[in-house]
Amino acid sequence: MSQQSQLTTALAEAAVTAGHAPSVHNTQQVRHTDRRPVSDEPVPPSAIEEITRAVTTEGGRLQILDRDQVLELAATAGHADTVEAEDPELRAELAYWTSRAGEGTGLPAEVLPAQPAQTTVPGRDFGRPGSLPVGPGHDRMAVYAMLHGDEDERDSWLRAGEALSAGWLTATRLGVSVVPLSAVVEVEGTRQTLRQLLAGLGFPYLVLRLGIADPAHAGPPHTPRLSAAQVVDTSAVGGRQG
Ligand SMILES: Cc1cc2nc3c(=O)[nH]c(=O)nc-3n(C[C@H](O)[C@H](O)[C@H](O)COP(=O)(O)O)c2cc1C
């Protein structure tokens, strides 16, 4: 078996343990992406520490950006958005995965802001208007963090996903809202800018906005999900038992 096939096999396998970790399951049901500006309530430092610990436990690292770095991120994110908006293939891909809300995937209009939210770092432009009401607030209490690691290999990206999941679920449990910002790592030039923010000591995987969601208004509804049977192939489990 080639090294790549071994890796593919490793990426595809998961241990299924009946009745395990119900609290994670419950947190997953609560978790959702809320793209409105965050409230004026600061994120408790203890929550940031706990989220960072969860990421580290799964082999990732989280760098909290200081004020100057956030301003640099804001400019970089604006540039990444422009680059992506001008790329017809990327626009088509975004439209493909976001527009299929009736088919169990995608983003319904109700989860996308009705007008651009006042955020220090611009959110992704999905190329179509949403219907989620956005208040006049500005998310000045948002904390921006960069998920990163030592390597830029396929299995390190898989670990980054596990670290993201652990950090995101921990944040949800602590009442901290997370919005991932991936355009800045998708565009090579802006990813290099992020590397400089890390002083070259690692590879950026994803930028996260952390904050306390506006408690006065209902957030967006949950996005549709495919059923487990449509996304998990358990046939190998039967094969092993036999
Ligand atoms: C790796 C990754 C990157 C993402 N990048 C973005 C992004 O750049 N902008 C954004 O608004 N949402 C982003 N999302 C959020 C997804 O769009 C979101 O999970 C999806 O809308 C499903 O909604 P839910 O999180 O409410 O279940 C990203 C999610 C993941 C896992």
Side-chain angles (χ1 to χ4, degrees), residues 31-33 35 97 107 124 126 164 168 179-183 206 223 225:
R31 192 208 62 73
H32 63 288
T33 305
R35 297 177 178 85
W97 79 261
L107 298 181
R124 184 182 282 278
F126 285 91
L164 170 66
W168 202 338
V179 175
L181 300 165
S182 51
L206 194 63
T223 52
R225 289 285 187 272

Side-chain angles (χ1 to χ4, degrees), residues 16-59:
V16 180
T17 314
H20 191 59
S23 60
V24 169
H25 184 67
N26 290 341
T27 311
Q28 277 168 341
Q29 287 170 344
V30 174
R31 192 208 62 73
H32 63 288
T33 305
D34 186 344
R35 297 177 178 85
R36 298 172 302 157
V38 299
S39 72
D40 287 340
E41 189 183 337
V43 184
S46 59
I48 298 288
E49 277 166 29
E50 208 171 318
I51 295 163
T52 304
R53 223 173 11 252
V55 166
T56 311
T57 303
E58 290 298 331

Side-chain angles (χ1 to χ4, degrees), residues 26 139 152 216 234 241:
N26 290 341
D139 67 341
D152 199 14
T234 54
Q241 282 167 346

Side-chain angles (χ1 to χ4, degrees), residues 123-168:
R124 184 182 282 278
D125 176 5
F126 285 91
R128 64 193 170 95
S131 61
L132 177 67
V134 175
H138 190 293
D139 67 341
R140 51 181 177 272
M141 296 317 277
V143 172
Y144 288 88
M146 200 191 316
L147 177 66
H148 66 102
D150 288 333
E151 291 169 357
D152 199 14
E153 304 300 326
R154 202 169 158 198
D155 57 343
S156 41
W157 277 91
L158 176 70
R159 276 199 303 278
E162 291 170 337
L164 170 66
S165 174
W168 202 338

